[in-house]
Amino acid sequence: MSFFCKGPEAITNIGSISDPHIKREKTRQRREPGDRFIPRRRNFNLNEANYYISRTEDVKELFLQDPKAPSNLWCHRAGFLYPPAYKIFNFSTRRINGSQKRNCRYEMEYPWPIKKLELKNRPGRLRPDHVYDLPNFRNNFYFNIIDWSSTGHLAASLGSYVYTWNPITFVKGTVGEYHDDDVATSLKWHPHGKLLALGTRSGYVKVCDPFIKTSILRGDLECENEDIPCSITSLAWHPSESLKLAVGCSAGIVTAVEVPSSLKGTIEIISTRKLFKRHIATLRFSPLRAQHGSYLAVGGRSDYACILEWPSLDSLLDIQLSSHCRAMAWHPWKPSLLAVGSASGIITVMNVMKEEIVQSYEPDVSSSTCCLEWCPKSGLLISSHVVEPNTTIILVLSSLNQVEQKAEGNFGRILYLLWSPDGSQIGIVAR
């Protein structure tokens, strides 16, 4: 009598089944490449593995994304993995509940540095703490007439007056009064928050002490011999050289000036450079970290932006744009990263030192970028857009294809995004 088994050999002797002294010849199984790294082959599904390896996720348009569901960034900050998970297979013998928290072994990669420890709550909380009415506010994109100081004071040019107030203590004051159609077209707080620089329509710069309500000194900037004098449209204090100032005007000229340390006398002109034919709207110094304010980013009513060396104002890099430059912002602790937004809605994050584009976004709908600001604590990018016909959208971005928070409404064009001194609040000025 014979028995047959499923293996390659047949047992022909019935006594051999119970005889322990007979050595059985082992059947050699076929081994797959990489088996030594897989402790168990249970639940191994090649179709599922190929799906996860070869799949490509569709990137949705930024304006169409719904950030209500927690993104990978926030779940990674909380300490657990949110689907889609990083692990494809589970080799543990212990069954793990899907809702159970577990440590993250993999760091998520982003196009720019983000501090996840600062993400205690979702940014962009859109319930305002304070709402102010700004009468006689000039709706001119190429003016810079409102700023928030490091001491918590706001300053704004409204009509013929420049006002200051503290949103915490509600202390109000008046810095200056102008007559004969001469108004302040730009203003900028000193990094220490004790001095306020004012630029006027007639083309001169004043340095004021807003707490004693006096003008310390004044300087006239002779840009060009024209029949119509240029207006001062943008100001920027140097972050480390405490009394040096960059000035931009409506004739497209950038001027480096120095205020006397005694705060007496006149403003001295260091260098000047003609860049554009029309208004200069944005002046941004590079951060203190690593670069110490060595570079000045300049944008305006032109189809390109410039990176200049300070204080010589020599050209370092020209950035070609599809339309006028509307916004520029340096990353707070990665000094080589610069975000640039244009009137056509295109946003570009580039590495200035390497002269390469890190990431770029071009909208599928007709829109315009108004403002760009980095969160000083977390490193998220805040942007404001106007989408035709009359929709305003504010986005909080962890990359140029991932929206973390969004606000949408019909509250006009956003002209300013201003961070509070501690970086916990953001002020929005719309028209």
Side-chain angles (χ1 to χ4, degrees):
M1 185 175 180
S2 301
F3 289 88
F4 294 92
C5 64
K6 296 182 179 179
E9 298 179 354
I11 303 175
T12 57
N13 190 355
I14 189 171
S16 64
I17 298 178
S18 59
D19 191 353
H21 300 288
I22 298 177
K23 295 182 179 180
R24 301 179 183 179
E25 185 178 352
K26 294 183 179 180
T27 303
R28 299 187 62 180
Q29 297 181 355
R30 178 171 170 265
R31 296 178 62 88
E32 297 290 341
D35 278 2
R36 67 180 64 183
F37 304 108
I38 303 178
R40 290 183 178 86
R41 298 178 64 88
R42 67 183 181 88
N43 297 331
F44 192 87
N45 191 334
L46 292 178
N47 293 331
E48 184 180 3
N50 291 328
Y51 166 75
Y52 281 107
I53 293 173
S54 61
R55 67 171 180 168
T56 57
E57 297 183 359
D58 296 333
V59 179
K60 294 183 179 179
E61 168 69 29
L62 289 182
F63 301 141
L64 302 179
Q65 291 187 25
D66 183 12
K68 292 182 180 180
S71 66
N72 291 334
L73 173 65
W74 302 98
C75 295
H76 189 260
R77 166 64 182 88
F80 62 92
L81 297 178
Y82 187 84
Y86 291 95
K87 296 181 180 179
I88 300 177
F89 305 106
N90 178 22
F91 301 113
S92 175
T93 58
R94 181 173 58 91
R95 179 168 297 182
I96 299 177
N97 189 4
S99 60
Q100 182 180 359
K101 291 185 179 181
R102 49 191 180 269
N103 296 328
C104 297
R105 298 184 179 179
Y106 301 92
E107 288 290 334
M108 300 179 64
E109 296 182 357
Y110 299 97
W112 56 76
I114 294 177
K115 291 183 179 179
K116 293 182 285 294
L117 295 179
E118 299 293 341
L119 302 176
K120 297 179 180 179
N121 297 307
R122 282 195 172 192
R125 188 168 60 92
L126 300 175
R127 291 174 296 177
D129 295 329
H130 307 283
V131 178
Y132 298 99
D133 186 18
L134 301 178
N136 301 322
F137 185 78
R138 289 180 295 279
N139 184 14
N140 192 323
F141 183 82
Y142 299 101
F143 289 167
N144 294 272
I145 55 176
I146 189 168
D147 194 25
W148 203 340
S149 73
S150 59
T151 58
H153 291 80
L154 287 164
S157 174
L158 306 176
S160 300
Y161 293 86
V162 176
Y163 296 92
T164 63
W165 71 96
N166 192 314
I168 305 300
T169 61
F170 300 101
V171 176
K172 302 179 182 179
T174 304
V175 178
E177 180 181 0
Y178 301 90
H179 299 284
D180 299 330
D181 296 330
D182 191 9
V183 297
T185 53
S186 62
L187 55 86
K188 190 67 177 180
W189 284 100
H190 191 273
H192 300 319
K194 298 180 180 179
L195 299 176
L196 181 64
L198 302 176
T200 64
R201 180 178 292 174
S202 59
Y204 67 87
V205 178
K206 291 202 318 182
V207 179
C208 306
D209 188 341
F211 301 102
I212 61 177
K213 300 181 180 180
T214 57
S215 176
I216 298 176
L217 34 112
R218 166 177 169 170
D220 295 327
L221 303 181
E222 298 179 358
C223 295
E224 290 182 340
N225 295 324
E226 297 180 352
D227 297 335
I228 301 177
C230 62
S231 302
I232 306 299
T233 56
S234 184
L235 297 167
W237 290 96
H238 193 273
S240 61
E241 300 173 358
S242 59
L243 294 179
K244 289 187 178 180
L245 186 70
V247 183
C249 68
S250 58
I253 299 176
V254 178
T255 306
V257 301
E258 184 175 5
V259 178
S261 57
S262 61
L263 299 180
K264 295 180 181 179
T266 60
I267 297 177
E268 179 184 356
I269 297 178
I270 302 175
S271 58
T272 183
R273 184 181 179 88
K274 173 76 172 180
L275 293 177
F276 310 138
K277 294 182 179 180
R278 306 189 69 177
H279 302 72
I280 289 178
T282 306
L283 292 173
R284 293 292 184 98
F285 278 104
S286 58
L288 280 177
R289 297 191 180 185
Q291 294 182 0
H292 303 284
S294 302
Y295 304 107
L296 177 66
V298 184
R301 204 166 180 178
S302 177
D303 56 355
Y304 68 96
C306 300
I307 308 297
L308 306 178
E309 296 181 356
W310 179 265
S312 62
L313 300 182
D314 294 333
S315 179
L316 176 68
L317 179 66
D318 291 338
I319 305 172
Q320 190 67 36
L321 303 174
S322 60
S323 58
H324 296 169
C325 178
R326 286 293 180 87
M328 304 181 76
W330 295 91
H331 193 277
W333 63 84
K334 186 69 173 178
S336 60
L337 291 184
L338 178 68
V340 182
S342 65
S344 60
I346 299 176
I347 302 176
T348 303
V349 177
M350 64 178 305
N351 192 317
V352 175
M353 298 296 102
K354 296 182 179 180
E355 298 185 8
E356 64 181 14
I357 295 177
V358 177
Q359 197 176 21
S360 181
Y361 163 73
E362 184 175 356
D364 296 334
V365 297
S366 179
S367 64
S368 176
T369 303
C370 297
C371 297
L372 288 175
E373 288 291 341
W374 298 93
C375 178
K377 284 190 172 183
S378 64
L380 296 176
L381 182 62
I382 319 296
S383 64
S384 64
H385 309 263
V386 174
V387 182
E388 294 184 356
N390 293 314
T391 303
T392 305
I393 297 178
I394 302 174
L395 301 177
V396 181
L397 306 170
S398 59
S399 67
L400 294 186
N401 53 26
Q402 178 61 49
V403 177
E404 302 297 338
Q405 187 61 287
K406 180 173 70 172
E408 186 174 350
N410 296 322
F411 37 88
R413 183 174 63 173
I414 295 178
L415 300 177
Y416 302 93
L417 292 174
L418 305 172
W419 282 103
S420 63
D422 59 357
S424 61
Q425 293 178 313
I426 189 170
I428 299 173
V429 182
R431 181 67 176 179

